[in-house]
């Protein structure tokens, strides 16, 4: 009886493995039945990596970013097939939603400075698959309150979806450090430094703040504001103020 039961279990495991393999094969087959990928799905622009970002200042980062967007225009926008040159395609220059048609392309990194001497600085960190445009209203609000706002386009974002296939989180962390360096340079030392993180940007803000605790070369933030962050805090976090964490 025991041997029979063991034999049946073995056959059940084999059958289950065959079913899973069949489901996987079916899914793989179905994935190839969709519409063909477009240029913005296959072209991977040459964005900056952490090692290069750490050696750049803000001016150098923006120059590299402009070159990156020129590359996307040359390799995607100017090579679109006629059937995708329509008003609903943001990569088509004739589309009303083509970013290059706007007075400001908020997909790119930007700095908003107050009318007078800044009373502090704020760094804006957008979320995954996002770009700096989503934080432009907060940037303007900080600007109106006398802060200089630095919003950086994190590598892999703001260009084409395929840009995210060749990026690593360390590249985003390096971009965060660069944005903070520029914010501190513009505001001057000794003034408040705020980090605003939306979604994945919240994780980057927290990562920077934790790194700053052990690295005197990193200016520590005086305030962190998180929106829909991907980070989580344990119940012990409520005692942070008591123990000085």
């Amino acid at each position: 009886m025991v041997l029979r039961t063991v034999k049946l279990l073995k056959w059940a495991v084999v059958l289950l493995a065959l079913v899973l393999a069949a489901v996987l094969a079916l899914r793989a087959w179905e994935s190839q039945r969709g519409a063909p990928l477009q240029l913005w799905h296959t072209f991977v622009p040459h964005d900056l990596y952490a090692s290069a970002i750490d050696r750049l200042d803000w001016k150098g980062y923006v120059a590299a970013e402009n070159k990156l967007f020129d590359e996307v225009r040359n390799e995607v926008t100017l090579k679109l097939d006629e059937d995708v040159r329509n008003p609903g395609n943001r990569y088509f220059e004739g589309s009303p939603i083509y970013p290059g048609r706007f007075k400001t392309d908020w997909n790119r990194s930007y700095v908003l400075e107050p009318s007078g001497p800044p009373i502090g600085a704020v760094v804006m960190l957008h979320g995954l698959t996002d770009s700096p445009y989503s934080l432009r209203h907060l940037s303007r609000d900080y600007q109106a309150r006398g802060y200089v706002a630095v919003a950086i386009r994190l590598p892999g974002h703001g260009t084409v979806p395929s840009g995210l296939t060749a990026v690593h989180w360390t590249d985003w962390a390096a971009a965060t450090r660069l944005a903070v360096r520029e914010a501190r340079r513009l505001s001057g030392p000794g003034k408040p430094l705020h980090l605003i993180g939306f979604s994945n940007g919240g994780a980057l803000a927290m990562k920077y703040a934790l790194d700053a605790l052990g690295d005197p070369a990193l200016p520590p933030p005086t305030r962190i504001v998180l929106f829909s962050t991907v980070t989580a805090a344990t119940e012990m976090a409520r005692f942070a103020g008591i123990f000085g964490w």
Side-chain angles (χ1 to χ4, degrees), residues 23-37:
V23 170
L24 180 61
L26 179 61
R27 292 292 297 161
W29 177 71
E30 287 183 341
S31 69
Q32 302 299 317
R33 297 180 61 205
L37 295 178

Side-chain angles (χ1 to χ4, degrees), residues 5 127 168:
T5 301
H168 193 267

Side-chain angles (χ1 to χ4, degrees), residues 177 180-181 193 207-221:
R177 293 191 294 271
V180 171
R181 291 198 300 270
L193 171 64
K207 177 67 169 63
Y208 176 87
L210 292 173
D211 289 343
L213 292 176
D215 188 348
L218 300 177

Side-chain angles (χ1 to χ4, degrees), residues 83-216:
D83 61 332
V84 293
R85 293 174 180 265
N86 58 70
N89 187 347
R90 66 181 295 271
Y91 298 105
F92 171 46
E93 283 187 315
S95 168
I97 58 175
Y98 177 67
R101 295 173 63 94
F102 293 93
K103 182 179 180 180
T104 300
D105 184 353
W106 297 103
N107 287 317
R108 308 189 185 204
S109 303
Y110 59 83
V111 172
L112 300 182
E113 297 188 67
S115 56
I119 64 172
V122 59
V123 171
M124 301 287 178
L125 301 169
H126 63 77
L128 189 64
T129 74
D130 199 359
S131 71
Y133 84 93
S134 64
L135 295 171
R136 65 191 186 281
H137 299 302
L138 280 174
S139 297
R140 286 169 171 164
D141 186 62
Y142 262 93
Q143 179 190 31
R145 296 172 185 268
Y147 283 72
V148 56
V150 176
I152 192 164
R153 180 200 59 85
L154 300 173
H157 294 78
T159 53
V160 289
S162 48
L164 287 168
T165 62
V167 70
H168 193 267
W169 71 266
T170 54
D171 305 326
W172 303 334
T176 300
R177 293 191 294 271
L178 172 60
V180 171
R181 291 198 300 270
E182 179 65 7
R184 176 57 76 215
R185 185 188 73 83
L186 292 172
S187 69
K191 295 181 180 178
L193 171 64
H194 294 186
L195 298 183
I196 306 293
F198 174 68
S199 188
N200 186 56
L204 293 172
M206 293 302 300
K207 177 67 169 63
Y208 176 87
L210 292 173
D211 289 343
L213 292 176
D215 188 348

